[in-house]
Amino acid sequence: MSFELISLNDGNKIPALAYGTGSKMKRHDITQYIEQAIEMGFSHIDTAAFYETEKYVGKAIKESGLARSEFFITTKYPREVPIQKSIKESLANLGLEYVDLYLIHQPRFIPDLLQAWKDFEKVQQDGLAKSIGISNVTDVQQLESLIKASNVTPAVNQIELHPYNYHTMKPIVDACAKHNIVIEAYSSLSPITTYPGGPVDVPLQAAARRIGATPTQVVFLWVRAKGAVIVTTTTSKAHMAEYLAVADLRQSTALTKEEVAAIDNAGARGPPSSIATRLRLVNMKETMILLVVGTMLAMYGLFGLGNASCYQVSVGV
């Protein structure tokens, strides 16, 4: 089952799951991974001029043989380049006549955000982007000032959002909801990938057991419970299938209000300290070293190349 479409405030619709091409993919030829994502069922592809992956997205779209209408393509304006010039360069890289969503990537680096947004409105008027929006706007006053001085309200605000920062991000999430601006959430898997072993693990695992899902899928169900679009990435076909399967889970077994609240409350306690996380990673590395060295010593003894008992192993942190 494909992910549902979410209505934007400009009348367009956006798929609730996007395949991102940033993170570790930046400045790499990732054509094969985008092609695989498309084959698996992703229709919403998220890129940016800064990522330098637009041309690979364009190549994958072309080689898919699918109609343009089958895709929802997002790209982002960087900075220092005139907006009209930048969008035309992005479209040339993508091999498209328009993008479905064009975002200001990092507004804090834009000297005159209000003027930039007026230029974005012109991009939309010219048909080069169906919808326009912002990314990484976390200050409510900045958002309100932009809306007050504009003719077009941003359709989307793409921000980092996960259970450990939800308490901090809630004011901007609520402000966006007030103006019918859809939140797109990136780095939502941080409790699993960046902060393992923290308090959020407990409610994630409990919900996963109840519905027969993985903790990763529970995080994505949590994102959807907040009404946000999921922006995620992977080079693993198995993970792609895991992510896409969330659409079926959401139809059959949504998280309960109590489960969402438990994740929120655990996240409000904050992630494990950076020191604790580093120690866990060091311990994992130390264990792997000991396993490798132990195997090597066993091989020495097995082949009569030495007396394993005479070796002492010391691994320092």
Side-chain angles (χ1 to χ4, degrees):
M1 179 179 293
S2 60
F3 264 77
E4 72 269 37
L5 298 175
I6 299 173
S7 295
L8 299 176
N9 57 22
D10 59 8
N12 295 315
K13 293 185 177 182
I14 184 172
L17 174 67
Y19 183 77
T21 62
S23 189
K24 294 181 180 179
M25 292 188 172
K26 296 185 186 102
R27 292 171 283 281
H28 289 89
D29 185 343
I30 55 169
T31 308
Q32 63 174 320
Y33 301 123
I34 304 169
E35 289 176 339
Q36 185 169 265
I38 293 170
E39 290 172 2
M40 293 291 293
F42 284 87
S43 62
H44 182 178
I45 312 296
D46 181 283
T47 184
F50 177 72
Y51 300 163
E52 297 181 20
T53 54
E54 289 174 328
K55 61 183 178 182
Y56 306 120
V57 172
K59 183 179 179 182
I61 290 172
K62 183 177 180 180
E63 293 182 354
S64 74
L66 297 173
R68 172 65 180 91
S69 59
E70 295 294 314
F71 293 99
F72 186 102
I73 306 299
T74 297
T75 195
K76 309 178 190 77
Y77 167 71
R79 54 176 172 166
E80 298 175 351
V81 180
I83 289 172
Q84 284 290 331
K85 181 175 184 291
S86 185
I87 182 62
K88 290 175 182 176
E89 288 177 350
S90 290
L91 291 174
N93 286 332
L94 290 162
L96 302 176
E97 295 182 355
Y98 67 90
V99 291
D100 297 278
L101 178 62
Y102 196 42
L103 305 178
I104 297 180
H105 201 164
Q106 295 285 358
R108 68 179 180 274
F109 295 135
I110 305 297
D112 189 341
L113 181 57
L114 296 182
Q115 181 57 52
W117 187 251
K118 290 184 185 301
D119 293 339
F120 257 59
E121 291 178 349
K122 181 68 164 54
V123 167
Q124 187 180 37
Q125 290 169 6
D126 291 345
L128 303 180
K130 286 191 171 183
S131 297
I132 53 176
I134 49 182
S135 181
N136 299 302
V137 172
T138 58
D139 182 84
V140 173
Q141 184 56 51
Q142 183 184 42
L143 176 68
E144 295 289 353
S145 297
L146 177 64
I147 293 172
K148 185 176 180 180
S150 303
N151 294 318
V152 177
T153 298
V156 160
N157 185 14
Q158 186 178 120
I159 60 174
E160 179 177 350
L161 185 66
H162 52 77
Y164 284 126
N165 78 345
Y166 176 67
H167 180 72
T168 302
M169 291 294 180
K170 194 173 186 305
I172 194 68
V173 170
D174 290 344
C176 285
K178 182 178 75 172
H179 295 287
N180 198 23
I181 298 170
V182 170
I183 292 289
E184 287 190 294
Y186 69 83
S187 295
S188 54
L189 292 179
S190 290
I192 295 171
T193 59
T194 307
Y195 306 113
V200 167
D201 284 15
V202 175
L204 288 183
Q205 291 166 2
R209 286 192 299 269
R210 182 185 71 81
I211 64 179
T214 66
T216 291
Q217 291 172 325
V218 173
V219 172
F220 287 155
L221 287 171
W222 175 86
V223 172
R224 290 298 302 117
K226 299 301 182 185
V229 171
I230 303 161
V231 181
T232 189
T233 190
T234 181
T235 59
S236 164
K237 187 174 182 179
H239 285 158
M240 291 179 189
E242 179 185 17
Y243 301 167
L244 289 164
V246 173
D248 295 309
L249 283 171
R250 184 166 164 77
Q251 289 293 324
S252 59
T253 314
L255 297 181
T256 65
K257 291 181 179 180
E258 291 75 16
E259 287 169 332
V260 173
I263 294 170
D264 290 351
N265 293 335
R269 292 165 56 190
S273 69
S274 59
I275 294 177
T277 302
R278 285 174 60 191
L279 285 175
R280 274 193 295 275
L281 294 174
V282 167
N283 288 336
M284 290 173 61
K285 183 177 180 181
E286 179 179 315
T287 300
M288 291 301 298
I289 292 172
L290 289 174
L291 286 172
V292 170
V293 174
T295 301
M296 291 175 64
L297 292 179
M299 290 177 66
Y300 270 102
L302 178 64
F303 292 105
L305 298 177
N307 184 357
S309 64
C310 71
Y311 290 89
Q312 290 184 341
V313 180
S314 176
V315 180
V317 177

